[in-house]
């Protein structure tokens, strides 16, 4: 194992995420290559806790990132790591009793603590969302056309007829054949891939500047998944939209992300440019996630390729987070007492350009 982040790479004063020179503070997606400061969505030290019978469940514990126009941020982590809650919190979509701290600005305006009315204006027109399951997100008793028309008219005052022809255009844009007749179809009459495209059309109806796709392709077969990824990439190029891809599968985002943020137990454990994250991951957890990715033409199992690339065990209980590194109980190299007692801060990876990790140590050769 090796220590991560040499003294030269450490930021003086231990500047953390969200600071001017840290990840999420201008050196986030696109930050280091000239897009710093242009983020349309900027999240700083976001924390979310739920009241439960057993006490406060600390589900998001200080997440920071930037989403510049035209760029794609991937947020990756196992089930329960807080990916969705972190998004729902900034959109005001969690129960009113939820505690949310930190900041999330859209176009410079604060979202945390904003009134429901104002947040409703941001949802759809500012930030569009596509969720995993279109059967629960689409209304089963309304035609596809009506749902797209309503989404258009929620954000623009257009007559019904004009909205209907715009709806047909949107369905064509997302690759639905014969869009005019599909307007009269009900969601159950469409295939899973087509429903997902309708969801994207609904999300695009308000012409959002940021599109958030939360496990948007998880339920789809690989071919349809590839089509949807390609579709979003194309729409992003055409519209200059920022995109946030949320997934538990690093393989999905390998070809589309500019910047990757890996979450574990509500914290960022590693983040960086896609090239650095996929080329030289240093956090044992990221390496475990990458081990779950199939390697083409390699008949060996992940464990045979690299014994560190498996993650047995479960994430910690958010009501009783460990005092030290949250990954400690599962870490294959859990190096010393320091890991058990100190939370590793997110620090620059030695030799990296746009790459940070929250681990005291990393496997040799990482
Ligand atoms: N309303 C709630 N009250 C209490 N706990 C909640 C609530 N909503 C979510 N949680 C908990 O917050 C944690 C994070 O959930 P979240 O949905 O963000 O996970 P995720 O990373 O999106 O996982 P997945 O990949 O399964 O979608 C989970 O432990 C979940 O049980
Ligand atoms: S226990 Fe945590 S800090 Fe220690 S080596 Fe493992 S991941 Fe890094
Ligand atoms: Mg989720």
């Amino acid at each position: 194992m090796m220590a991560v982040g040499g003294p030269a790479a450490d930021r003086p004063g231990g500047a953390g995420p969200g600071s001017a020179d840290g990840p999420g503070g201008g050196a986030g997606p696109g930050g280091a290559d000239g897009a710093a400061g242009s983020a349309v969505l900027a999240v700083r030290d976001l924390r979310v806790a739920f009241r439960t019978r057993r006490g406060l469940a600390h589900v998001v514990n200080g997440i920071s990132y930037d989403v510049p126009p035209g760029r794609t941020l991937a947020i990756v982590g196992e089930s329960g790591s807080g990916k969705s809650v972190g998004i729902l919190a900034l959109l005001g979509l969690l129960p009113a009793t939820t505690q949310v701290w930190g900041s999330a600005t859209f176009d410079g305006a604060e979202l945390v603590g904003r009134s429901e009315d104002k947040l409703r204006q941001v949802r759809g027109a500012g930030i569009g969302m596509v969720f995993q399951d279109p059967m629960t997100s689409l209304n089963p008793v309304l035609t596809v056309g009506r749902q797209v028309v309503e989404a258009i008219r929620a954000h623009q005052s257009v007559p019904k007829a004009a909205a209907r022809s715009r709806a047909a255009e949107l369905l064509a844009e997302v690759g639905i054949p014969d869009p005019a007749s599909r307007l009269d179809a009900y969601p159950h009459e469409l295939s899973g891939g087509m429903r997902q495209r309708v969801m994207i059309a609904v999300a695009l109806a308000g012409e959002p500047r940021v599109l958030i796709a939360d496990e948007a392709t998880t339920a789809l077969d690989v071919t349809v998944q590839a089509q949807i990824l390609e579709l979003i990439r194309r729409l992003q190029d055409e519209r200059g939209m920022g995109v946030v891809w949320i997934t538990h599968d690093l393989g999905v985002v390998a070809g589309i992300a500019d910047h990757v943020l890996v979450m574990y137990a509500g914290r960022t454990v590693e983040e960086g440019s896609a090239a650095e994250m996929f080329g030289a991951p240093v956090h044992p957890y990221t390496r475990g996630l990458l081990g779950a990715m199939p390697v083409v033409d390699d008949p060996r199992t992940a464990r045979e390729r690299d014994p560190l690339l498996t993650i047995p065990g479960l994430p910690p209980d958010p009501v009783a987070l460990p005092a030290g590194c949250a990954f400690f109980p599962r870490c294959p190299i859990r190096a010393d007492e320091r890991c058990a007692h100190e939370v590793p801060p997110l620090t620059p990876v030695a030799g990296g350009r746009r790459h940070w990790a929250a681990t005291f140590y990393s496997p040799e050769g990482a």
Side-chain angles (χ1 to χ4, degrees):
M1 110 202 119
M2 67 174 190
V4 169
D10 277 338
R11 282 164 294 196
S19 65
D21 58 347
D33 58 6
S38 65
V40 56
L41 178 65
V43 174
R44 294 291 178 274
D45 201 20
L46 188 73
R47 293 164 191 269
V48 184
F50 294 106
R51 287 202 192 105
T52 72
R53 276 196 215 133
R54 295 187 302 122
L56 270 188
H58 296 276
V59 165
V60 177
N61 298 301
I63 294 292
S64 301
Y65 56 82
D66 281 345
V67 184
R71 309 301 293 264
T72 299
L73 166 72
I75 300 181
V76 190
E78 281 172 301
S79 186
S81 54
K83 305 181 299 294
S84 298
V85 165
I87 294 294
L88 297 173
L90 57 91
L91 295 170
L93 292 174
L94 291 172
T97 53
T98 311
Q99 302 197 14
V100 182
W101 301 267
S103 164
T105 56
F106 177 75
D107 250 348
E110 182 60 56
L111 301 179
V112 175
R114 207 164 171 182
S115 71
E116 172 54 25
D117 269 1
K118 291 201 166 141
L119 283 171
R120 203 175 302 122
Q121 288 164 14
V122 172
R123 297 195 295 261
I127 303 177
M129 292 161 291
V130 186
F131 295 107
Q132 175 174 350
D133 183 1
M135 271 322 257
T136 55
S137 306
L138 291 173
N139 188 332
V141 300
L142 297 182
T143 61
V144 160
R146 173 122 179 241
Q147 296 186 58
V148 181
V149 164
E150 280 181 6
I152 293 169
R153 298 185 84 210
H155 305 290
Q156 298 157 43
S157 56
V158 250
K160 256 192 187 158
R164 194 174 155 87
S165 57
R166 175 71 192 123
E169 277 169 30
L170 268 173
L171 292 189
E173 247 184 87
V174 298
I176 294 182
D178 193 11
S181 67
R182 294 300 169 99
L183 287 176
D184 297 318
Y186 287 88
H188 73 268
E189 295 175 312
L190 302 177
S191 67
M194 286 298 149
R195 281 197 293 266
Q196 201 61 339
R197 284 166 197 260
V198 172
M199 276 301 299
I200 296 170
V202 169
L204 293 175
E207 310 210 336
R209 298 192 43 218
V210 173
L211 184 74
I212 297 176
D214 188 348
E215 303 284 7
T217 58
T218 306
L220 304 174
D221 70 51
V222 177
T223 316
V224 181
Q225 193 170 341
Q227 288 168 359
I228 300 275
L229 289 171
E230 173 53 34
L231 165 68
I232 292 186
R233 188 85 210 184
R234 180 173 58 76
L235 294 169
Q236 176 178 29
D237 288 346
E238 285 168 15
R239 294 167 173 238
M241 264 182 334
V243 171
V244 181
W245 262 104
I246 299 175
T247 179
H248 60 270
D249 184 355
L250 261 174
V252 169
V253 295
I256 57 161
D258 297 299
H259 195 86
V260 179
L261 184 155
V262 177
M263 277 181 82
Y264 186 76
R267 295 192 184 109
T268 303
V269 293
E270 183 163 3
E271 74 162 291
S273 65
E276 287 174 279
M277 292 291 290
F278 289 106
V282 296
H283 197 287
Y285 178 66
T286 314
R287 286 166 58 86
L289 284 182
L290 281 167
M293 280 173 67
V295 176
V296 179
D297 294 335
D298 187 341
R300 294 173 303 164
T301 62
R303 189 183 279 278
E304 284 166 346
R305 284 198 309 276
D306 181 345
L308 286 170
L309 297 181
T310 46
I311 327 177
L314 291 170
D317 178 358
V319 176
L321 286 174
C325 173
F327 193 54
F328 178 74
R330 302 171 71 188
C331 182
I333 59 172
R334 43 170 133 162
D336 56 25
E337 282 300 294
R338 198 176 173 204
C339 297
H341 299 296
E342 274 179 56
V343 176
L346 200 54
T347 48
V349 171
R353 251 190 86 234
R354 293 167 53 214
H355 193 181
W356 296 262
T359 177
F360 294 125
Y361 306 97
S362 185
E364 281 308 343

